[in-house]
Amino acid sequence: MATGSGRSMIELIEDGDHSISFEFFPPKDEAGAERLWKAISALEPYRPSFVSVTYGAGGSTRDLTVEITGRIARETSLTPVAHLTCVGHTRGELEKILDSYTEVGVHHLMALRGDPPEGPRADWTPTEGGLTYATDLVELARGRGDFRIGVAAFPEGHPHAESLDHDADVLVAKARAGAEFAVTQMFFRASDYFSLVERVRARGVDMPILPGIMPILNLNAIRRQGELVGTAVPDEVIERISQHEAPEDIRAEGITLAAELCQELLAGGAPGLHFYTLNNSRATLEIFERLQITV
Ligand code: FAD
């Protein structure tokens, strides 16, 4: 249900045939900021359900998430979703950041645990006086302001998950704690996504799970990142990309593969598509062209 502070995620996602959303990250310098705002302007006409801005692993970009989402709320027609993680923060600090989001007009949140500073594969130790799991942050945000909350989901399982079933239990716990929707980690096999959705539905939870789309524009970079976050690049995808040598042909194949994945996901009932833009609209727009998504 809509309230004064913004529409519910369910309403945003279910408005229209399918939800489209875009993820950005806080830039490190002026040139990066220019790229970010150019990408936001280029994608705004597609009327996404929301645009999300990640929360840095540490350091100065963290404040930028408040600044950027606030500016999106003030200066654009878009609904900003601010990410927040438990990394390096006490409960009191997290409460202050949640209050800052409210103050700048941001009422939609992605509540995440975050990764240890040493990287996603390192052992997780909660900050003293801080929170242990994303579920704790969902609960904190629910009690702190009028937030509509999203959480992370992992079609191939979180790298530290005991099993896919336990991972589904965790997602269900996040939903029961008050999360309204989930966005997935990148993945390249539609069947991994559909199996996750099935596991969650089998547990009696019907929250929308938006598939996170990351086109492969550089195979080695994606493989390295995939190893860190627990996403495998399937052999058939590697084969298709490896047929090409020229960078523009590799890119085109990566876009085609992403468009095929999107089609399969939508045809199979995914409620929408969430694009990891890396602050550049080009790849997303190229996928839209293949999918005949127009403004
Ligand atoms: P959790 O849900 O807390 O899960 C973390 C681990 O703990 C999992 O292995 C889970 O199985 C286990 N677990 C959870 N609850 C329990 C429990 N009750 N008992 C036992 N085990 C449990 N990182 C950033 O730093 N900034 C971002 O902005 C950001 N955005 C992201 C957006 C998306 C869509 C995704 C998919 C990831 C994002 N990440 C971001 C990365 C994310 O923070 C990491 O993947 C992190 O390791 C897990 O976060 P989580 O919120 O899923 O944590």
Side-chain angles (χ1 to χ4, degrees):
M1 279 253 292
T3 70
S5 61
R7 301 174 70 205
S8 81
M9 271 301 159
I10 310 285
E11 281 179 313
L12 288 170
I13 289 169
E14 290 183 350
D15 189 10
D17 278 351
H18 291 112
S19 162
I20 285 173
S21 49
F22 306 120
E23 187 166 306
F24 303 100
F25 62 85
K28 288 200 169 65
D29 53 27
E30 262 309 303
E34 225 171 89
R35 265 198 304 280
L36 166 71
W37 290 103
K38 209 170 132 198
I40 292 177
S41 299
L43 293 169
E44 186 173 4
Y46 290 84
R47 304 185 58 216
S49 309
F50 64 88
V51 295
S52 66
V53 181
T54 61
Y55 194 72
S60 59
T61 68
R62 296 189 123 184
D63 295 337
L64 283 180
T65 304
V66 179
E67 204 180 305
I68 294 165
T69 49
R71 184 168 159 196
I72 290 172
R74 272 194 320 278
E75 296 182 11
T76 75
S77 61
L78 303 166
T79 298
V81 173
H83 292 215
L84 181 58
T85 75
C86 309
V87 178
H89 286 310
T90 61
R91 172 182 284 268
E93 286 166 357
L94 290 166
E95 286 171 346
K96 277 200 190 128
I97 299 163
L98 289 168
D99 293 348
S100 308
Y101 284 144
T102 301
E103 277 158 28
V104 297
V106 172
H107 304 285
H108 297 84
L109 185 77
M110 274 293 284
L112 304 142
R113 186 199 71 179
D115 287 316
E118 301 77 30
R121 293 273 168 188
D123 284 337
W124 165 254
T125 313
T127 300
E128 212 180 315
L131 307 181
T132 307
Y133 295 120
T135 329
D136 305 328
L137 186 54
V138 173
E139 279 165 7
L140 184 73
R142 289 273 294 174
R144 191 70 189 178
D146 188 10
F147 288 107
R148 316 303 154 87
I149 303 168
V151 288
F154 300 85
E156 294 173 66
H158 182 267
H160 285 161
E162 290 164 27
S163 65
L164 291 179
D165 275 325
H166 181 257
D167 221 38
D169 292 339
V170 167
L171 186 50
V172 163
K174 293 194 254 195
R176 301 227 156 101
E180 279 189 38
F181 74 112
V183 177
T184 77
Q185 182 57 273
M186 65 172 182
F187 62 95
F188 302 105
R189 261 185 309 249
S191 56
D192 290 328
Y193 167 82
F194 291 122
S195 304
L196 166 71
V197 173
E198 236 170 70
R199 286 191 293 280
V200 173
R201 301 290 177 259
R203 286 162 172 78
V205 166
D206 66 354
M207 63 153 41
I209 301 175
L210 294 173
I213 306 297
M214 176 81 93
I216 301 177
L217 305 178
N218 176 329
L219 182 57
N220 287 335
I222 291 283
R223 282 172 101 173
R224 273 196 304 277
Q225 194 186 341
E227 268 166 35
L228 283 177
V229 302
T231 298
V233 184
D235 289 344
E236 61 272 21
V237 169
I238 294 173
E239 258 168 48
R240 291 251 315 252
I241 292 190
S242 305
Q243 286 168 4
H244 304 282
E245 273 176 22
E248 64 272 24
D249 295 341
I250 293 174
R251 181 190 173 87
E253 189 69 58
I255 297 291
T256 302
L257 279 159
E260 287 172 9
L261 179 62
C262 291
Q263 268 161 342
E264 203 178 339
L265 290 165
L266 293 178
L273 302 166
H274 181 80
F275 291 90
Y276 291 111
T277 70
L278 305 180
N279 292 0
N280 194 325
S281 61
R282 188 176 149 203
T284 306
L285 292 176
E286 286 170 351
I287 297 171
F288 283 180
E289 220 176 290
R290 309 279 164 102
L291 297 175
Q292 298 181 334
I293 293 175
T294 50
V295 288

